[in-house]
Amino acid sequence: MDRLRWMRYTQLDQGCVVVLIIFRVLNALCAQTYFVPDEYWQGPEVAHRLVFGYGYLTWEWRHGLRGSVFPLLIAALYKIAEVTGT
């Protein structure tokens, strides 16, 4: 009985993964966007400054006009890279 239940969950997980992969591929092919250089200054550069203590901040950051959630996510990745030495 336990093996049968495990097999059902495994099949559901595989189906979910397939659906998510298909969704991601379609999303990547259908999304029409463009690169905005400002995105670099509003995310990775701010995160770099948070983790390593130096980097350029645009005027929006100096005056507190930007939210910090997105840079904090990137900063977490930078901190992991710093701690692991990668």
Side-chain angles (χ1 to χ4, degrees):
M1 180 80 175
D2 288 333
R3 181 166 172 77
L4 181 61
R5 186 179 303 159
W6 180 81
M7 289 175 61
R8 275 193 223 142
Y9 287 131
T10 303
Q11 290 172 348
L12 286 174
D13 289 344
Q14 289 173 350
C16 184
V17 168
V18 168
V19 168
L20 290 174
I21 290 173
I22 290 171
F23 173 78
R24 180 63 183 120
V25 168
L26 289 175
N27 186 22
L29 294 175
C30 295
Q32 295 181 357
T33 186
Y34 55 93
F35 174 73
V36 179
D38 189 52
E39 291 174 357
Y40 180 79
W41 296 107
Q42 304 306 334
E45 184 69 23
V46 176
H48 186 274
R49 184 178 176 100
L50 287 171
V51 174
F52 301 108
Y54 65 95
Y56 184 77
L57 290 181
T58 59
W59 66 271
E60 296 101 335
W61 290 100
R62 288 192 299 266
H63 294 286
L65 297 176
R66 292 281 182 167
S68 59
V69 173
F70 180 63
L72 286 175
L73 295 173
I74 298 171
L77 296 174
Y78 282 167
K79 191 64 173 176
I80 291 169
E82 179 187 37
V83 169
T84 60
T86 57

